[in-house]
Amino acid sequence: MLNKKSNLLIGILIISSLLYIGCQESDVPVTLTQFSEATDIDEDTSASDNDGITFPEKYEKESGNVTFETMIVLNKDFNPNEIYDYIATLQQPDPSNTLKVLFSGINYQEEITTNDSGQTDYYYAGQNGETLLIYPESVQLYKSFADHLPRVLSLSYKYNYNGDKYSQSEEFSFAARDTALTDILDILSKMGITIGNDYSYSGYSMDYQTMKNEETVLGIQGEADPSQYKENWSSDDDCYYFALRQTCQKLPVYYIYSDIYKEASDAFAQVQAAYSKDGLFYLLMDKTFKFQKGDTKLKLKNFEEIAGTVEYKYANIISDDNYIVTKAQLMMMARQEKNESYRLTPVWVFDVTENLKLQSGEGSAEEHSVLNQVIVNAVTGEEIIQ
């Protein structure tokens, strides 16, 4: 049986799988673009309108300490004239089928717990270090090479992002990218999680040479510890890493990941999966939805008014700092209602480079750049404070 330290292990595994262990904030912010097989997401190449509302390809403006050099990111198939209020309910993985499909052929110990509210959680520990955790709304799988992933890949814009080091088109000999992704979607379906064709994704081809170069293990004092690095690398370590989001009305779904992480990036996509010659060896799946169209047709505000909300936010900060707005992406934000359903609302997610002047010990000011995100309701124009 698993001991009660499992709960601590779970938290460590989640965090270490999303961010580098012991990482520090990156001084060079990175703007991320999502890619999709079923629904392409790219920079908009034509004007769209919603009763006269037009979204530009790029928005440029300077106002005091705020500069807009903003690329507008929209799904090319998005129709702003036909956007509605949606209600979503959570999909729940089937525990028996999930165990069968993810732990087939593995000898394991199990621990099944039910709390006072009736929620049942399932914990499985394989004989060779495999781990499977099944919750009512999420699943986590760790096999073989999974513990190396946080050492070689960081998709958070705040923490040493290096996703751009890996190709998003390279094919490996063990399987084509499309084959790997199709297999992952089939596995999810067998678990009781339906994604269908309504999704967007980023796919990273993680070749062993780049992983070897990118590997970072930090010691207690925050310094690199080469003694902990993987000794031997080969093409057997090559794998694909997919970060996938459902889409609703051709817009990617955004929500607060695990009810903790607010960042709208690949690091906190709903489904994150790694696939090698041995198949699926790593899975983090959090909150997937079934969607129901509402009766209310929504009217989007023009982009200049939306951008004005961001401008007002930073213009009221009295300092020598300056702010550059680099990207705005339209997404559907899922926010939980009192009845446990979720309401989906279109929101603009702005990437803002904040150039902060911090006082050093000698009294001089040093500039420190960080990337922040501002969420604005695309219908009301109000900032959404998480």
Side-chain angles (χ1 to χ4, degrees):
M1 299 293 288
L2 299 178
N3 59 45
K4 296 303 181 180
K5 292 183 179 179
S6 300
N7 291 330
L8 177 59
L9 171 64
I10 295 164
I12 294 173
L13 287 172
I14 295 173
I15 296 172
S16 65
S17 297
L18 295 171
L19 308 173
Y20 276 125
I21 298 173
C23 60
Q24 297 179 352
E25 288 194 6
S26 172
D27 288 334
V28 182
V30 177
T31 299
L32 306 179
T33 302
Q34 293 184 318
F35 299 83
S36 169
E37 175 184 90
T39 52
D40 292 334
I41 295 180
D42 207 342
E43 294 170 5
D44 188 29
T45 58
S46 61
S48 301
D49 60 55
N50 177 15
D51 295 332
I53 301 299
T54 299
F55 298 134
E57 297 176 26
K58 187 174 184 179
Y59 181 78
E60 296 179 311
K61 181 180 179 181
E62 285 194 31
S63 177
N65 60 345
V66 185
T67 300
F68 288 87
E69 297 174 354
T70 311
M71 298 305 301
I72 310 301
V73 180
L74 285 174
N75 187 312
K76 65 181 182 181
D77 296 322
F78 169 65
N79 183 359
N81 296 300
E82 293 294 329
I83 184 165
Y84 287 82
D85 184 32
Y86 266 70
I87 297 295
T89 55
L90 287 173
Q91 299 189 83
Q92 294 193 349
D94 180 278
S96 177
N97 289 344
T98 299
L99 175 63
K100 182 178 179 180
V101 71
L102 295 183
F103 251 38
S104 176
I106 297 175
N107 294 325
Y108 58 83
Q109 292 181 305
E110 69 175 8
E111 179 180 337
I112 301 175
T113 62
T114 302
N115 62 23
D116 293 339
S117 63
Q119 175 178 311
T120 301
D121 301 329
Y122 302 81
Y123 309 83
Y124 300 95
Q127 60 184 357
N128 295 315
E130 305 93 342
T131 302
L132 175 62
L133 312 170
I134 306 172
Y135 303 103
E137 60 188 37
S138 64
V139 173
Q140 301 164 35
L141 170 72
Y142 307 86
K143 290 182 179 178
S144 61
F145 190 70
D147 60 333
H148 288 281
L149 290 177
R151 300 178 175 194
V152 300
L153 179 67
S154 176
L155 297 178
S156 170
Y157 67 72
K158 287 187 175 181
Y159 299 99
N160 300 324
Y161 174 83
N162 70 343
D164 56 345
K165 302 290 185 178
Y166 297 95
S167 169
Q168 297 204 17
S169 60
E170 182 180 355
E171 303 271 343
F172 294 127
S173 60
F174 63 81
R177 289 164 61 89
D178 289 351
T179 300
L181 181 59
T182 298
D183 193 24
I184 292 169
L185 292 172
D186 183 59
I187 289 171
L188 291 172
S189 179
K190 292 176 180 177
M191 293 164 47
I193 303 300
T194 301
I195 302 297
N197 293 322
D198 297 325
Y199 61 88
S200 64
Y201 78 91
S202 295
Y204 302 86
S205 299
M206 299 179 63
D207 63 284
Y208 76 93
Q209 296 100 330
T210 304
M211 287 192 284
K212 180 179 179 180
N213 293 334
E214 289 299 307
E215 184 176 21
T216 302
V217 182
L218 301 182
I220 297 176
Q221 302 300 321
E223 76 287 357
D225 185 1
S227 68
Q228 299 298 316
Y229 288 9
K230 192 177 187 299
E231 291 186 5
N232 300 304
W233 291 88
S234 74
S235 59
D236 287 343
D237 299 317
D238 290 345
C239 61
Y240 299 113
Y241 190 98
F242 296 98
L244 182 148
R245 291 181 185 273
Q246 292 177 286
T247 58
C248 178
Q249 303 179 96
K250 306 299 183 182
L251 298 176
V253 171
Y254 163 70
Y255 67 97
I256 301 178
Y257 189 91
S258 293
D259 298 320
I260 299 173
Y261 303 102
K262 304 173 184 178
E263 181 182 325
S265 71
D266 283 346
F268 304 104
Q270 290 169 283
V271 177
Q272 299 174 67
Y275 192 99
S276 70
K277 63 181 181 60
D278 299 318
L280 179 67
F281 68 90
Y282 172 83
L283 176 67
L284 281 180
M285 187 209 77
D286 186 68
K287 288 190 181 69
T288 60
F289 301 100
K290 290 183 179 180
F291 304 115
Q292 181 177 349
K293 184 179 178 180
D295 297 326
T296 305
K297 189 173 182 179
L298 304 177
K299 180 177 174 59
L300 305 181
K301 285 191 175 294
N302 65 68
F303 188 80
E304 185 171 9
E305 186 172 352
I306 295 293
T309 300
V310 180
E311 179 183 339
Y312 179 81
K313 173 186 177 71
Y314 287 106
N316 282 282
I317 299 176
I318 301 176
S319 70
D320 293 328
D321 304 334
N322 64 81
Y323 309 91
I324 303 175
V325 186
T326 57
K327 188 182 82 168
Q329 180 173 4
L330 191 59
M331 307 180 77
M332 291 293 287
M333 182 175 185
R335 306 183 76 184
Q336 190 168 7
E337 305 266 81
K338 292 182 179 179
N339 61 0
E340 297 187 357
S341 64
Y342 287 74
R343 183 171 298 277
L344 272 68
T345 303
V347 298
W348 286 100
V349 179
F350 287 86
D351 285 1
V352 183
T353 300
E354 300 182 347
N355 298 310
L356 310 177
K357 294 184 179 180
L358 306 177
Q359 294 297 320
S360 67
E362 292 76 22
S364 60
E366 296 182 355
E367 191 168 280
H368 181 62
S369 295
V370 297
L371 182 61
N372 193 19
Q373 288 184 324
V374 179
I375 314 298
V376 179
N377 188 310
V379 177
T380 67
E382 298 175 345
E383 181 183 0
I384 296 176
I385 306 296
Q386 310 287 4

